[in-house]
Structures are given as C-alpha cells and as structure tokens.
C-alpha cells in the first residue's frame, strides 16, 4: 500500500521532468538558425538520382531523407568532384556553438562518408575563421550502408556566414541537411580569411590530413607487424603524438624516418648480427613499405627471354644498421651478345587509395640510399636479341658489406614477330603534361612497349567550314610522330556539344554538315597518306563510351556515312549495355572489362577488343589488372587490349605531376613518371603491360604449334589464379621450352 501511495505521489514529478526534457529538446531542435536559410553550392549538384540541378533549398529545409539516401530528391549529391563548397547565409550575425552535417555511406555502392567537411565562419566575405572538421570522427570509416549525422560542437564563434569546404572520399558525396545551432557569446568576430584564402587554407589542411593518414597507416602497420617488441609501445606513442601535432609537410619525412628506425630496432632483435637483408620477391608482387621478412634468402636470379622480348626479376634490400647506408647494385660485365640488363630502384609513391605503392622504376645508376630500417625493391629488366645462355653475377653492397648474387640469363630460340597480332592501345596523347615536351621519347617508349594503335585527339582535328592547309599540316605533323602504328583512330569526340557543329555553324547531321563531312573525309585520307598511313589503317572514333542519345546519333551517322563513303570504317568504346546497340555499325568495338557485356559482343561477329578504365591506378595490380588483360583477350578470342592511360595526370591549366595523386583535380592515370633532365621513368605497371602483350603473342604462336584449345587451356589456368603472380611467368617459360624443342 505504501509503495502504491509513493508511486502516485511521484508520478506528477516524473511527468513534469519528462515534459521539461522534451520541451528543452524541442526548443533546442527548433533553434536551428540555418533553417530555411539561403545557400549556394559550387560546383552545382550533378548526381542524377538525387536533388535536381535547380534545387537550392534542400540542405536547409529541416527535412531528412527517408528511404535509400542517394536516390531521394531530398538529398543533394555530387559525383566526380574533388572539392565542393557550400555557403550558407544566416542573414544576421549570430553566436554559433554547434554544426551538424547529415550524410551516408555504402561501401557496396562505392559511397563513403566525406573525407573532410572543413567549416569556416565569418561576419562577411573577408573575415572567415576555421572552426574545425565536422566529419572528423572515429565513426568516419568505410562500411555497409549507414546514414549518420556528424557534429562539430564547442565552436563558440560569431558570424553571419557558414562556409563548408567538402572533400569527398571517393567518387561520390551526399548530404540532405546542414544545421547550425547557437552557442555561447564570442568576444570577437570570426577571422581574417577571404574566399581565396579559405580555399588555399583548405588545400593545406587537406594535404596535412592526407599526410597524417599515411603516417598513421605506416605506424599502424609497424605495430601490427612488430608484436612483442618491448619498446614499441612507448616509442609508437611518441610518434603518434608527433603525427597529431604535424603542422607542415616538411616535417613528415622526419616522422617517416622515425617509424623506419623503430622497425630497424625490431628487425635487429630478430636478426642479431646482420647488417642488411636480401630477399627474393616476384617482380609483380605487392609490397608494403614495412614488409614482414619472407624468409626467402636471395638465390639465383633467373630470367628467360624470347628473342626480341623482355623478362624481369626483383629482390628486396633492407638496411638493418642504425645509420643510413648506401646500396650499390652492379651487374658484372658480360659478352656483347648477352642480353641488355637494366637495374632500377623502386621507391614508394602515395596512391589516391591511401596506400604506399612500390611502382616507379628509377634507374639506380649503381646506387641509392636506405634509411635505418627501410626496405626497397630492386628491379632488373633484361632484353634479349641473341639466343643463348649466360651466367654472371650481380654484386650487391650495403655500406662496406658486399655479396654476389648468381645471375642466369636464358634467351630462348623463339622469336617474337616483328608485327604483333594484338592491337595494343593506351591513348598516349602526346599533349599530356608529362610527355608534351618529350614527344619523340614518348613515342619511342610506346613503341618499345608494343603500342601499335595511335589515337588522334579531337583538338588536332580541324573542325572548320573551310579547312585551311595549315590546319591539315598540324594534324599531319602529329600523325607523323606515330608513323609505324598499325591503326590510326580519329577521335572526333562528338560526346561534347561543341563538336556537334562545325565551328558552331553546321549542326551535326544537318544537310550542310553532311556536305562538309563528305568533303572533309577525302582530305583527311590524303593528309594521313602524307603522314605515312593508308586508308585501310584509318578508323573514325566518333564517340567515346557512348550512351543515351549518343548511341542513336552514332547509328544515324554511321548508317548515312557507309552509304555515302563505302570505304569508311568505325571504332567505338562500349562500357554500357545500351551501347551494344551500336555493334552492327562498328568495325571494331572495344568493350570495357565487364563479363556481362562480352557474350553479346562476341556473338556480333565483329572485331572485339577489351579495355580497362579503372581509377586510383597506382594501386592497381601490375599483374592482375595490367598483365592479365592480354591473357583475357586471348582466352576470349579478342584481337585488342588497352587501358586508360599512358600519361594522363589530369586536365586544366595545372594538371599536376605523375608523382603526386593529390596535386591535380583528380588522381593520375599515367603509368609513367617525369624523369630528371626531361626523361621518362617507367613503372612496374607499364612493364607488366608489355609482358602481357608479349604473352599474347607467345600464346598465339603456341596455338599454331599445339592447337587453339591447348593454348586457351593454358590461358584459362593463369586467369583462374589472378592472385598467383608466379603463374604467368611459369606458363611463359613452359611455352618457350616447348617451342624451343
């Protein structure tokens, strides 16, 4: 009875407390001072399934998306943007205490929370102050589908404008609501940065955060691979503090050196008395900057080479001393007829996939330096012109310690053809920044890597009602650089509206346009002849990766052109199922590497090539992505293979360097790097591609020798184990042995 009375007495108290809490929450929620405020975004949203291009109210309307986040019109979405800016006008100067940003992720759809949402507050356009990163949180991780509201609290700044600089993580970025809540009174206005200064400051913040993420990853990797090292916890904690306090990019090298030094201590405890390690590694295998020793002592370096072809070997050197050591790698001299041998060091570059990648092949010139605890891959390339076998040694010195590694070079009496049957293409536009000043070197490099298809970009094709001789001469000069290619593709780029007219005068497929084209095509053929190409080698490439109305435009154009010019031929790249409608009108269809497109393409009886256009290319496997593409082409009966791109480091006025994925408007696609003194630096990916092209020729030769079924079975076994980087080399050596008998 007493409990019942007590409950009755307490009930009004509980009701009052809960009502008060609800009232507080309601008033707190209602105090969103950004509600229904005006804002601008740059660039404008461009994800077609979410908010319309004209929408400028969704982000502050107080309404959250229900249903799948990025398919709702109440969500604003972007694709393919490196940086997004949102400016909200709060209409009056306010004390600001807290910001929220509601977004979503879904790793299965390649959607991630933004990498950063840097927030700035100002009373005007020239006094912004940085107040923090809204999405800096332990919860900002990849994962399954999830909607999350990120919050930045404790701001206590004063201003009228909220400026957000959003850095997407990956290709997409989404948000459905931004909220601003009041805070304690601030004693001063926001800061002293104008919009341009904010953008510059954002770039600095982004690079610092990228550097911190790389260093943290390096340290985390060391910790995970150094269990039981008794001093690691203390030293790692000190290094972690240094990473968190990093304020300039110039200091990151010292932190990296400290991490390697700590690794050196762990390795010296494991290998007492050793000055350095030498270990075997497959030249195409992935490699971490802090690899766990593989307990594979360096044995013979054995290379087997077809006549006119290449082979590669690699090993890893690790400095165990407490001081930096100079490493020398020097092959002994061999007879003049012996294969040419080049030695490269393979430094690490930072990929847009946030990985350290051992990729560029920097000529070692006999020596390079390793910090304490640092490892580096040494990469050897051999090119054989005469059959035979040669035994020699490679001397490897680390400081005063020198060892000799046996070298076995075998050039099989199996010659690669002078003209390859595989059509190899990588859109090596000679105007791209890394090669623009070294076009001849680039062409020689492309030819040396068996690229035999040239593409003439649209900006070298004169679109003018009256094509002047000088315009044709400029195109001829460009074509002449690729003299020797087996095919030439003229990329008209009708995907872009500006190319659908002739200098804005004749509309695509109008009567005037058709008349112009019928006059232009014979002049193009004559121009190509002067550059060294026959009409049989020429293909028009009207659209790239056509879809939507581009497919219908191509079909109409090709149907008309074949009637008017029977000798004309067409090439196209197809990456969507709807584009397969164009197959009957193409002479060559290059289909993106997606199995669901291959069956219909093969059934078309057209000549089919395969290609890849993946991004974050530094992190792509030299073996599985680059080398095995040619194996897949052979297995499927395709006649060509390619990838985007040989030298693309971005577009615009300052596309950046191939060495840096983060300095341009997007990550690099290039497989080469700018060398010192104007040279070209190759990569493991580029060398793997060349090996794949040669593999295709060897499989073709083996098919003539043993039958197509036997050759396809070899290819199938290699393709069935894309993670086994030894498989292709083993099969290649088997083919050379069989055909040498």
């Amino acid at each position: 009875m007493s409990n019942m009375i007590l409950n009755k007495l307490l009930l009004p108290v509980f009701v009052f407390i809960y009502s008060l809490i609800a009232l507080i929450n309601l008033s707190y929620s209602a105090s969103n001072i950004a509600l229904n405020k005006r804002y601008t975004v740059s660039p404008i949203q461009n994800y077609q399934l979410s908010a319309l291009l004209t929408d400028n109210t969704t982000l502050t309307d107080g309404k959250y998306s229900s249903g799948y986040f990025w398919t709702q019109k109440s969500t604003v979405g972007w694709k393919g943007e490196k940086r997004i800016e949102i400016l909200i006008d709060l209409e009056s100067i306010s004390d600001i205490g807290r910001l929220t940003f509601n977004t979503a992720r879904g790793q299965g759809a390649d959607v991630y929370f933004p990498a950063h949402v840097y927030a700035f507050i100002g009373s005007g356009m020239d006094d912004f102050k940085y107040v923090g990163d809204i999405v800096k949180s332990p919860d900002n991780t990849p994962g399954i589908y999830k909607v999350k509201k990120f919050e930045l609290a404790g701001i206590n700044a004063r201003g009228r404008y909220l400026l957000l600089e959003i850095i997407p993580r990956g290709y997409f970025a989404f948000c459905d609501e931004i909220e601003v809540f009041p805070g304690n009174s601030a004693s001063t206005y926001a800061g002293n940065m104008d919009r341009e200064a904010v953008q510059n400051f954002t770039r600095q913040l982004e690079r610092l955060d990228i550097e911190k993420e790389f260093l943290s990853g390096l340290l985390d990797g060391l910790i995970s691979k150094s269990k039981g090292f008794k001093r690691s916890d203390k030293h790692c904690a000190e290094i972690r503090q240094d990473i968190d306090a990093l304020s300039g990019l110039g200091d990151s090298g010292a932190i990296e050196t400290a991490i390697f030094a700590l690794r050196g201590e762990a390795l010296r405890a494991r290998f007492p008395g050793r000055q350095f390690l030498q270990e075997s590694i497959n030249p195409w295998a992935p490699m971490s900057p802090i690899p766990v020793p593989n307990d594979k002592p360096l044995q013979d370096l054995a290379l087997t080479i077809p006549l006119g072809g290449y082979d590669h070997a690699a090993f890893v050197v690790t400095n165990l001393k407490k001081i930096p050591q100079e490493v020398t790698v020097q092959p002994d001299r061999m007879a003049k007829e012996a294969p040419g041998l080049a030695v490269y060091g393979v430094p690490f570059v930072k990929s847009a996939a946030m990985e350290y990648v051992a990729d560029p092949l920097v000529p070692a010139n006999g020596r390079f330096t390793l910090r304490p605890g640092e490892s580096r891959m040494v990469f050897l390339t051999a090119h054989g012109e005469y059959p035979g076998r040669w035994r020699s040694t490679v001397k490897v010195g680390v400081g005063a310690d020198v060892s000799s590694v046996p070298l076995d070079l075998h050039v099989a009496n199996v010659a690669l053809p002078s003209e390859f049957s595989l059509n190899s293409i990588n859109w090596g536009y000679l105007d791209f920044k890394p090669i623009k000043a070294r076009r001849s070197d680039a062409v020689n490099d492309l030819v040396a890597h068996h690229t035999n298809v040239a593409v003439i970009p649209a900006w070298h094709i004169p679109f003018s009602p009256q094509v002047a001789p000088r315009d044709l001469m400029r195109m001829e000069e460009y074509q002449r650089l690729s003299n020797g290619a087996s095919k030439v593709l003229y990329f008209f780029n009708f995907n872009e509206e500006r190319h659908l007219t002739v200098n804005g005068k004749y509309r695509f497929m109008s009567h005037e346009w058709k008349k112009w084209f019928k006059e232009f095509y014979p002049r193009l053929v004559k121009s190509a002849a002067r550059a060294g190409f026959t009409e049989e080698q020429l293909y028009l490439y009207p659209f790239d990766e056509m879809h939507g109305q581009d497919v219908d435009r191509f079909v109409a154009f090709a149907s008309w052109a074949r009637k008017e010019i029977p000798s004309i031929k067409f090439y196209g790249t197809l990456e969507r199922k709807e584009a397969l409608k164009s197959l009957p009108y193409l002479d060559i269809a290059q289909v993106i590497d997606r199995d669901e497109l291959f069956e219909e393409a093969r059934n078309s009886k057209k000549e089919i090539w395969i290609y890849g256009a993946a991004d974050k290319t530094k992190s792509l496997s030299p073996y599985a992505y680059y080398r095995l593409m040619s194996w897949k082409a052979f297995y499927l009966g395709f006649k060509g293979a390619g990838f985007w791109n040989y030298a693309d480091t971005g577009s615009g006025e300052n596309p950046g360097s191939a060495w840096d994925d983060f300095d341009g408007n997007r990550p690099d696609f290039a497989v080469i790097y700018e060398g010192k003194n104007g040279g070209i630096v190759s990569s493991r990916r580029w060398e793997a591609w060349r090996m794949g092209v040669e593999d295709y020729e060897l499989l073709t030769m083996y098919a003539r020798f043993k039958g197509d079924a036997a050759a396809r079975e070899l290819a199938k076994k290699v393709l069935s184990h894309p993670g086994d980087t030894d498989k292709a080399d083993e099969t290649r050596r088997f083919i050379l042995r069989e055909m040498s008998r």
Side-chain angles (χ1 to χ4, degrees):
M1 179 66 71
S2 60
N3 287 339
M4 186 179 299
I5 295 171
L6 181 61
N7 288 340
K8 286 183 178 180
L9 292 173
L10 290 176
L11 182 60
V13 177
F14 289 144
V15 170
F16 173 76
I17 292 172
Y18 287 131
S19 299
L20 183 61
I21 292 172
L23 183 62
I24 291 171
N25 287 338
L26 181 62
S27 63
Y28 188 60
S29 174
S31 65
N32 171 19
I33 56 179
L35 186 64
N36 295 323
K37 295 300 191 295
R38 295 173 298 172
Y39 64 86
T40 59
V41 299
S42 177
I44 201 74
Q45 59 266 20
N46 62 357
Y47 187 69
Q48 64 272 22
L49 298 180
S50 56
L52 300 175
L53 295 176
T54 55
D55 180 277
N56 59 2
T57 60
T58 291
L59 292 176
T60 58
D61 63 3
K63 299 174 183 177
Y64 289 87
S65 295
S66 60
Y68 214 58
F69 195 80
W70 45 81
T71 63
Q72 307 303 313
K73 296 304 178 186
S74 53
T75 295
V76 179
W78 294 265
K79 61 179 181 179
E81 302 295 348
K82 185 176 181 181
R83 183 178 287 105
I84 301 156
E85 188 175 83
I86 300 174
L87 177 66
I88 301 176
D89 182 359
L90 302 175
E91 298 179 358
S92 63
I93 293 175
S94 305
D95 294 319
I96 298 171
R98 184 167 64 98
L99 307 173
T100 71
F101 186 92
N102 204 55
T103 184
R105 74 176 187 206
Q107 194 166 4
D110 203 26
V111 177
Y112 305 89
F113 295 139
H116 305 284
V117 179
Y118 299 120
F120 300 81
I121 292 173
S123 60
M125 291 292 106
D126 58 0
D127 60 358
F128 283 103
K129 175 184 178 180
Y130 175 62
V131 295
D133 183 350
I134 303 178
V135 298
K136 185 177 182 180
S137 164
D139 296 329
N140 191 346
T141 58
I144 61 174
Y145 177 79
K146 182 179 182 180
V147 178
K148 178 169 177 59
K149 181 189 288 188
F150 287 93
E151 178 179 306
L152 178 64
I155 294 172
N156 296 328
R158 202 155 190 248
R160 170 176 173 172
Y161 297 97
L162 170 64
L163 180 60
L164 301 182
E165 298 282 340
I166 303 168
I167 311 300
R169 187 186 301 278
Y171 192 66
F172 303 101
F174 297 98
C175 179
D176 69 344
E177 196 67 21
I178 299 167
E179 296 172 318
V180 180
F181 295 98
N184 297 329
S185 177
S187 58
T188 61
Y189 286 111
N192 58 6
M193 286 187 281
D194 60 16
R195 296 283 290 275
E196 183 178 355
V198 165
Q199 291 173 358
N200 291 334
F201 186 70
T202 296
R203 281 190 282 269
Q204 294 174 26
L205 285 175
E206 183 185 4
R207 289 310 297 258
L208 271 177
D209 284 330
I210 288 170
E211 200 65 27
K212 288 179 180 180
E213 187 169 343
F214 271 105
L215 291 171
S216 294
L218 193 65
L219 181 59
D220 291 341
L222 173 65
I223 293 170
S224 68
K225 296 172 183 178
S226 302
K227 298 296 185 184
F229 181 42
K230 62 182 180 180
R231 295 178 59 192
S232 64
D233 289 345
K234 176 187 174 184
H235 288 179
C236 287
E238 293 171 351
I239 293 173
R240 186 84 66 190
Q241 290 176 356
D242 291 339
I243 294 172
D244 291 340
L246 184 68
S247 59
L249 295 177
D251 299 327
S252 64
I255 297 175
E256 200 175 75
T257 298
I259 295 172
F260 286 132
L262 194 57
R263 176 178 183 249
E265 290 187 42
L267 292 177
R268 283 192 295 275
R270 180 175 173 183
F271 301 99
R274 300 278 293 275
Q275 304 299 311
F276 65 95
L277 298 178
Q278 286 180 188
E279 302 169 278
S280 297
I281 190 171
N282 184 287
W284 318 118
M287 180 180 168
S288 161
I290 45 174
V292 175
N294 60 22
D295 294 325
K296 292 182 180 178
L298 186 56
Q299 305 293 335
D300 290 15
L301 295 172
L303 296 93
T304 304
I305 313 160
L307 271 173
Y310 292 80
D311 197 13
H312 308 272
F315 58 92
V316 176
V317 180
T318 302
N319 176 20
L320 298 186
K321 290 189 176 182
K322 295 182 179 181
I323 58 174
Q325 292 291 300
E326 185 177 74
V327 178
T328 59
V329 182
Q330 190 63 53
D332 286 344
R333 288 184 177 275
M334 292 184 288
K336 183 179 179 181
E337 296 79 12
L341 193 65
V343 179
Y344 304 93
V346 191
F348 287 92
V349 290
K350 295 166 184 171
S351 160
M354 303 309 294
E355 298 174 337
Y356 287 91
V357 181
D359 186 53
L361 300 180
V362 178
N365 297 323
R367 64 190 68 240
F368 55 86
T369 300
L370 288 179
R371 292 170 286 186
E374 186 177 15
S375 297
R376 182 164 301 180
M377 179 186 289
V378 177
F379 191 95
L380 283 73
T381 296
H383 177 53
E385 294 288 351
Y386 302 95
R389 188 180 291 272
W390 290 264
R391 296 282 298 179
S392 185
T393 58
V394 176
K395 288 186 171 58
V396 181
V398 181
D401 299 297
V402 180
S403 64
S404 293
V405 182
L407 180 64
D408 182 6
L409 298 170
H410 175 215
V411 181
N413 196 17
V414 178
L416 292 171
S418 57
E419 294 185 5
F420 280 30
S421 59
L422 181 71
N423 294 279
S424 178
I425 176 175
N426 35 65
W427 289 268
Y429 295 156
L430 302 176
D431 298 309
F432 281 161
K433 182 182 175 182
I435 56 176
K436 188 173 183 178
R438 47 184 77 93
R439 286 179 168 184
S440 295
D441 290 342
V443 170
N444 291 337
D445 187 50
L446 288 162
V447 171
H449 286 77
H450 311 312
T451 300
N452 54 11
V453 178
V455 184
I456 310 301
W459 55 84
H460 282 288
I461 301 174
F463 291 90
S464 174
Q466 300 295 326
V467 179
R470 65 177 179 275
D471 296 326
L472 288 173
M473 286 181 63
R474 280 197 293 268
M475 184 170 66
E476 284 171 33
E477 289 171 4
Y478 187 89
Q479 292 176 92
R480 198 170 283 114
L481 288 167
S482 298
N483 195 348
S486 62
K487 292 180 175 64
V488 180
L489 314 179
Y490 293 88
F491 179 39
F492 282 79
N493 197 13
F494 289 150
N495 306 66
E496 292 192 13
E497 190 70 22
R498 62 194 176 99
H499 289 142
L500 285 174
T501 62
V502 179
N503 271 12
K505 191 171 183 180
Y506 305 148
R507 187 69 185 167
F508 180 72
M509 291 299 288
S510 66
H511 174 74
E512 294 83 2
W513 190 94
K514 290 178 179 178
K515 181 181 178 183
W516 167 82
F517 185 83
K518 286 172 65 176
E519 294 173 354
F520 172 73
Y521 181 77
R523 298 186 70 182
L524 182 146
V525 172
K526 291 179 181 178
S527 172
R530 291 191 293 270
F533 299 99
T534 66
E535 186 180 9
E536 183 63 27
Q537 296 174 278
L538 311 183
Y539 293 78
L540 299 196
Y541 176 8
F543 294 88
D544 182 54
E545 297 183 339
M546 64 182 97
H547 62 277
Q549 62 181 348
D550 289 345
V551 179
D552 296 328
R553 284 171 172 167
F554 169 72
V555 169
F557 171 47
S559 300
W560 167 80
R562 287 192 187 280
K563 293 176 183 176
E564 299 293 330
I565 311 171
S567 59
I568 201 168
K569 297 189 296 298
F570 291 103
Y571 160 96
T573 50
L574 312 181
E575 56 121 17
R576 304 188 189 192
K577 198 166 183 63
E578 62 179 303
L580 297 176
K581 175 183 173 183
S582 67
L583 280 168
Y585 306 90
L586 289 167
D587 295 277
I588 298 172
Q590 188 145 18
V591 181
I592 201 162
D593 187 5
R594 292 184 190 140
D595 292 343
E596 66 268 20
L597 302 180
F598 290 153
E599 183 176 357
E600 187 171 342
R602 293 172 72 184
N603 291 338
S604 71
K605 306 302 181 184
K606 296 289 184 175
E607 181 171 328
I608 306 298
W609 301 357
I610 188 175
Y611 79 104
D615 59 3
K616 300 178 183 176
T617 58
K618 288 184 177 69
S619 286
L620 295 175
S621 167
Y623 181 78
Y625 183 81
Y626 288 95
R627 185 172 182 178
L628 292 192
M629 192 176 295
S630 295
W631 288 76
K632 192 168 189 178
F634 178 84
Y635 179 73
L636 294 171
F638 295 169
K639 302 301 181 184
F643 66 90
W644 182 274
N645 180 277
Y646 172 66
D648 181 5
T649 59
S651 57
E653 295 181 1
N654 184 24
S657 163
W659 292 92
D660 190 344
D661 261 358
F662 305 98
D663 63 349
N665 57 4
R666 56 163 169 73
D668 306 321
F669 286 92
V671 292
I672 52 97
Y673 298 82
E674 303 92 343
K676 292 181 179 179
N677 304 318
I680 291 175
V681 171
S682 186
S683 68
R684 289 206 296 155
R685 292 172 292 138
W686 189 216
E687 297 308 307
W689 176 261
R690 174 163 60 187
M691 290 291 283
V693 176
E694 292 185 2
D695 295 339
Y696 185 101
E697 297 306 315
L698 291 172
L699 286 164
T700 301
M701 294 162 66
Y702 187 78
R704 290 196 291 266
F705 180 59
K706 289 286 189 178
D708 185 64
R712 290 186 74 246
E713 184 61 26
L714 290 180
K716 182 180 179 181
K717 288 180 179 178
V718 170
L719 292 169
S720 298
H721 300 87
D724 184 350
T725 53
D726 291 322
K727 206 73 176 175
D729 286 326
E730 291 170 357
T731 304
R732 181 185 177 106
R733 288 192 290 269
F734 170 79
I735 292 173
L736 291 173
R737 283 197 306 271
E738 289 290 298
M739 296 188 65
S740 296
R741 292 177 178 176

